[in-house]
Amino acid sequence: EVQLVESGGGLVQPGGSLRLSCAASGFTFSTYDMHWVRQPTGKGLEWVSAIGTAGDTYYAASVKGRFTISREDAKNSFFLQMNSLTAGDTAVYYCARGSWYEYWGQGTLVTVSS
Amino acid sequence: QSALTQPASVSGSPGQSITISCTGTSSDVGGYKYVSWYQQYPGKAPKLMIYEVNNRPSGVSNRFSGSKSGNTASLTISGLQAEDEADYYCISHTSSSTRVFGGGTKVTVL
């Protein structure tokens, strides 16, 4: 069974940092590109970042230069390092598999507030 | 990259058909076959309903279908049922190798 489990969310002050993790199981992780998608409470989905199987990375303009995506295939995991956080980054962050997001995690809540 | 344009809400009676549009540009929707659609219930993760414009994953009802014309993709739900009441989002690949979502459409079954 395919599973994606996010962790690392929480409350952080503006300007702070947080590292999200997504642990994958039930499939050959190294053969899939992986994505982060976020959703502010009561609002729509926003694509955040992606990492390809070769480690190529892509970012939304709103996070470029502040967020860094990485993966560790040996641990079937990928990550999102978030720096210089602002209130606008407050959202549930989902990890999703592959080009079509056929599988999603349950989401982890990131709250940026003083 | 601006969000793709979806109607904020669409409604229909049980048994009817409804169509949700998703309008972008030639740099996203119009330029690629990489358009997919998701259904989301409150408090839940999204679920893939259509991928690559008009393909249905196994397990998704054939009442859901997708299409594209120019810069606009569409999701049609036929034989509307109460369980179809949810939020629906489109997403497209872009010319800068990023992705962009639509703003979402709330479907109400009257």
Side-chain angles (χ1 to χ4, degrees):
Chain A
E1 180 193 4
V2 172
Q3 280 197 318
L4 298 172
V5 179
E6 302 95 340
S7 61
L11 175 63
V12 61
Q13 291 190 336
S17 299
L18 216 53
R19 188 187 194 223
L20 304 184
S21 300
C22 178
S25 60
F27 64 99
T28 305
F29 178 75
S30 61
T31 64
Y32 286 87
D33 53 305
M34 301 297 295
H35 296 244
W36 288 100
V37 174
R38 68 185 181 184
Q39 185 171 36
T41 302
K43 297 190 176 181
L45 300 171
E46 180 187 9
W47 180 82
V48 174
S49 182
I51 185 164
T53 56
D56 42 317
T57 59
Y58 307 92
Y59 300 94
S62 58
V63 307
K64 198 167 188 176
R66 300 188 299 123
F67 290 13
T68 301
I69 191 171
S70 61
R71 65 188 298 160
E72 195 166 347
D73 289 349
K75 293 188 176 181
N76 290 338
S77 297
F78 75 116
F79 312 94
L80 188 68
Q81 177 66 43
M82 305 185 295
N83 299 331
S84 303
L85 286 162
T86 72
D89 297 315
T90 295
V92 172
Y93 284 72
Y94 294 102
C95 59
R97 186 189 89 166
S99 297
W100 306 119
Y101 308 169
E102 59 271 28
Y103 293 98
W104 296 66
Q106 82 287 352
T108 186
L109 177 62
V110 171
T111 303
V112 184
S113 175
S114 54
Chain B
Q1 187 76 47
S2 299
L4 305 177
T5 300
Q6 295 182 232
S9 62
V10 173
S11 62
S13 299
Q16 285 187 331
S17 291
I18 62 169
T19 296
I20 303 168
S21 61
C22 170
T23 301
T25 68
S26 57
S27 296
D28 38 63
V29 174
Y32 304 91
K33 205 183 173 188
Y34 293 97
V35 176
S36 50
W37 290 90
Y38 302 86
Q39 176 191 64
Q40 187 182 34
Y41 294 114
K44 299 295 186 181
K47 174 188 175 183
L48 177 66
M49 304 302 284
I50 295 287
Y51 67 97
E52 221 166 38
V53 175
N54 55 10
N55 292 286
R56 253 188 332 272
S58 64
V60 171
S61 171
N62 59 10
R63 298 186 299 103
F64 292 84
S65 62
S67 62
K68 190 182 82 164
S69 177
N71 296 336
T72 297
S74 298
L75 174 72
T76 297
I77 309 175
S78 57
L80 199 62
Q81 299 179 1
E83 67 201 49
D84 300 330
E85 187 161 294
D87 294 324
Y88 292 83
Y89 295 90
C90 61
I91 187 175
S92 173
H93 183 83
T94 76
S95 58
S96 50
S97 296
T98 61
R99 304 291 178 94
V100 60
F101 276 101
T105 298
K106 182 176 181 61
V107 168
T108 301
V109 181
L110 301 172

PDB file of all heavy atoms in Angstrom, chain A residues 21-33:
ATOM      1  N   SER A  21       9.271  16.997   6.413  1.00  0.00           N
ATOM      2  CA  SER A  21       9.693  15.717   5.868  1.00  0.00           C
ATOM      3  C   SER A  21       8.485  14.979   5.321  1.00  0.00           C
ATOM      4  O   SER A  21       7.363  15.151   5.825  1.00  0.00           O
ATOM      5  CB  SER A  21      10.354  14.858   6.952  1.00  0.00           C
ATOM      6  OG  SER A  21      11.487  15.493   7.491  1.00  0.00           O
ATOM      7  N   CYS A  22       8.726  14.156   4.324  1.00  0.00           N
ATOM      8  CA  CYS A  22       7.687  13.271   3.787  1.00  0.00           C
ATOM      9  C   CYS A  22       8.292  11.893   3.645  1.00  0.00           C
ATOM     10  O   CYS A  22       9.228  11.698   2.860  1.00  0.00           O
ATOM     11  CB  CYS A  22       7.173  13.784   2.449  1.00  0.00           C
ATOM     12  SG  CYS A  22       5.924  12.720   1.688  1.00  0.00           S
ATOM     13  N   ALA A  23       7.783  10.952   4.426  1.00  0.00           N
ATOM     14  CA  ALA A  23       8.260   9.578   4.381  1.00  0.00           C
ATOM     15  C   ALA A  23       7.356   8.760   3.488  1.00  0.00           C
ATOM     16  O   ALA A  23       6.128   8.744   3.675  1.00  0.00           O
ATOM     17  CB  ALA A  23       8.289   8.992   5.789  1.00  0.00           C
ATOM     18  N   ALA A  24       7.955   8.085   2.518  1.00  0.00           N
ATOM     19  CA  ALA A  24       7.190   7.315   1.544  1.00  0.00           C
ATOM     20  C   ALA A  24       7.371   5.821   1.766  1.00  0.00           C
ATOM     21  O   ALA A  24       8.441   5.378   2.220  1.00  0.00           O
ATOM     22  CB  ALA A  24       7.630   7.682   0.133  1.00  0.00           C
ATOM     23  N   SER A  25       6.351   5.048   1.433  1.00  0.00           N
ATOM     24  CA  SER A  25       6.438   3.599   1.507  1.00  0.00           C
ATOM     25  C   SER A  25       5.464   2.979   0.525  1.00  0.00           C
ATOM     26  O   SER A  25       4.516   3.636   0.077  1.00  0.00           O
ATOM     27  CB  SER A  25       6.147   3.105   2.925  1.00  0.00           C
ATOM     28  OG  SER A  25       4.846   3.485   3.324  1.00  0.00           O
ATOM     29  N   GLY A  26       5.723   1.719   0.175  1.00  0.00           N
ATOM     30  CA  GLY A  26       4.811   0.997  -0.699  1.00  0.00           C
ATOM     31  C   GLY A  26       5.080   1.142  -2.182  1.00  0.00           C
ATOM     32  O   GLY A  26       4.296   0.643  -2.994  1.00  0.00           O
ATOM     33  N   PHE A  27       6.158   1.827  -2.545  1.00  0.00           N
ATOM     34  CA  PHE A  27       6.511   1.963  -3.958  1.00  0.00           C
ATOM     35  C   PHE A  27       8.005   2.274  -4.059  1.00  0.00           C
ATOM     36  O   PHE A  27       8.665   2.561  -3.058  1.00  0.00           O
ATOM     37  CB  PHE A  27       5.686   3.060  -4.634  1.00  0.00           C
ATOM     38  CG  PHE A  27       5.911   4.457  -4.094  1.00  0.00           C
ATOM     39  CD1 PHE A  27       6.753   5.340  -4.748  1.00  0.00           C
ATOM     40  CD2 PHE A  27       5.265   4.882  -2.944  1.00  0.00           C
ATOM     41  CE1 PHE A  27       6.961   6.627  -4.257  1.00  0.00           C
ATOM     42  CE2 PHE A  27       5.452   6.157  -2.442  1.00  0.00           C
ATOM     43  CZ  PHE A  27       6.302   7.035  -3.099  1.00  0.00           C
ATOM     44  N   THR A  28       8.527   2.180  -5.277  1.00  0.00           N
ATOM     45  CA  THR A  28       9.950   2.437  -5.502  1.00  0.00           C
ATOM     46  C   THR A  28      10.168   3.937  -5.572  1.00  0.00           C
ATOM     47  O   THR A  28      10.041   4.560  -6.630  1.00  0.00           O
ATOM     48  CB  THR A  28      10.430   1.756  -6.793  1.00  0.00           C
ATOM     49  OG1 THR A  28      10.112   0.360  -6.735  1.00  0.00           O
ATOM     50  CG2 THR A  28      11.942   1.914  -6.955  1.00  0.00           C
ATOM     51  N   PHE A  29      10.479   4.511  -4.431  1.00  0.00           N
ATOM     52  CA  PHE A  29      10.537   5.963  -4.253  1.00  0.00           C
ATOM     53  C   PHE A  29      11.467   6.634  -5.268  1.00  0.00           C
ATOM     54  O   PHE A  29      11.127   7.687  -5.826  1.00  0.00           O
ATOM     55  CB  PHE A  29      11.000   6.270  -2.832  1.00  0.00           C
ATOM     56  CG  PHE A  29      11.148   7.732  -2.528  1.00  0.00           C
ATOM     57  CD1 PHE A  29      10.033   8.529  -2.312  1.00  0.00           C
ATOM     58  CD2 PHE A  29      12.410   8.325  -2.438  1.00  0.00           C
ATOM     59  CE1 PHE A  29      10.161   9.879  -2.031  1.00  0.00           C
ATOM     60  CE2 PHE A  29      12.552   9.672  -2.156  1.00  0.00           C
ATOM     61  CZ  PHE A  29      11.422  10.450  -1.942  1.00  0.00           C
ATOM     62  N   SER A  30      12.602   6.028  -5.541  1.00  0.00           N
ATOM     63  CA  SER A  30      13.622   6.674  -6.358  1.00  0.00           C
ATOM     64  C   SER A  30      13.180   6.898  -7.800  1.00  0.00           C
ATOM     65  O   SER A  30      13.817   7.668  -8.538  1.00  0.00           O
ATOM     66  CB  SER A  30      14.913   5.853  -6.341  1.00  0.00           C
ATOM     67  OG  SER A  30      14.681   4.558  -6.884  1.00  0.00           O
ATOM     68  N   THR A  31      12.115   6.255  -8.224  1.00  0.00           N
ATOM     69  CA  THR A  31      11.673   6.354  -9.613  1.00  0.00           C
ATOM     70  C   THR A  31      10.587   7.403  -9.830  1.00  0.00           C
ATOM     71  O   THR A  31      10.062   7.529 -10.934  1.00  0.00           O
ATOM     72  CB  THR A  31      11.181   4.998 -10.135  1.00  0.00           C
ATOM     73  OG1 THR A  31      10.017   4.608  -9.388  1.00  0.00           O
ATOM     74  CG2 THR A  31      12.260   3.941 -10.022  1.00  0.00           C
ATOM     75  N   TYR A  32      10.249   8.138  -8.782  1.00  0.00           N
ATOM     76  CA  TYR A  32       9.178   9.133  -8.896  1.00  0.00           C
ATOM     77  C   TYR A  32       9.681  10.534  -8.553  1.00  0.00           C
ATOM     78  O   TYR A  32      10.446  10.723  -7.604  1.00  0.00           O
ATOM     79  CB  TYR A  32       8.028   8.807  -7.953  1.00  0.00           C
ATOM     80  CG  TYR A  32       7.189   7.654  -8.407  1.00  0.00           C
ATOM     81  CD1 TYR A  32       7.532   6.345  -8.062  1.00  0.00           C
ATOM     82  CD2 TYR A  32       6.050   7.851  -9.190  1.00  0.00           C
ATOM     83  CE1 TYR A  32       6.764   5.273  -8.489  1.00  0.00           C
ATOM     84  CE2 TYR A  32       5.276   6.793  -9.615  1.00  0.00           C
ATOM     85  CZ  TYR A  32       5.645   5.502  -9.256  1.00  0.00           C
ATOM     86  OH  TYR A  32       4.882   4.448  -9.680  1.00  0.00           O
ATOM     87  N   ASP A  33       9.225  11.519  -9.329  1.00  0.00           N
ATOM     88  CA  ASP A  33       9.406  12.883  -8.878  1.00  0.00           C
ATOM     89  C   ASP A  33       8.375  13.134  -7.777  1.00  0.00           C
ATOM     90  O   ASP A  33       7.327  12.479  -7.729  1.00  0.00           O
ATOM     91  CB  ASP A  33       9.248  13.893 -10.027  1.00  0.00           C
ATOM     92  CG  ASP A  33       7.969  13.739 -10.787  1.00  0.00           C
ATOM     93  OD1 ASP A  33       7.684  12.625 -11.276  1.00  0.00           O
ATOM     94  OD2 ASP A  33       7.217  14.724 -10.894  1.00  0.00           O
TER      95      ASP A  33
END
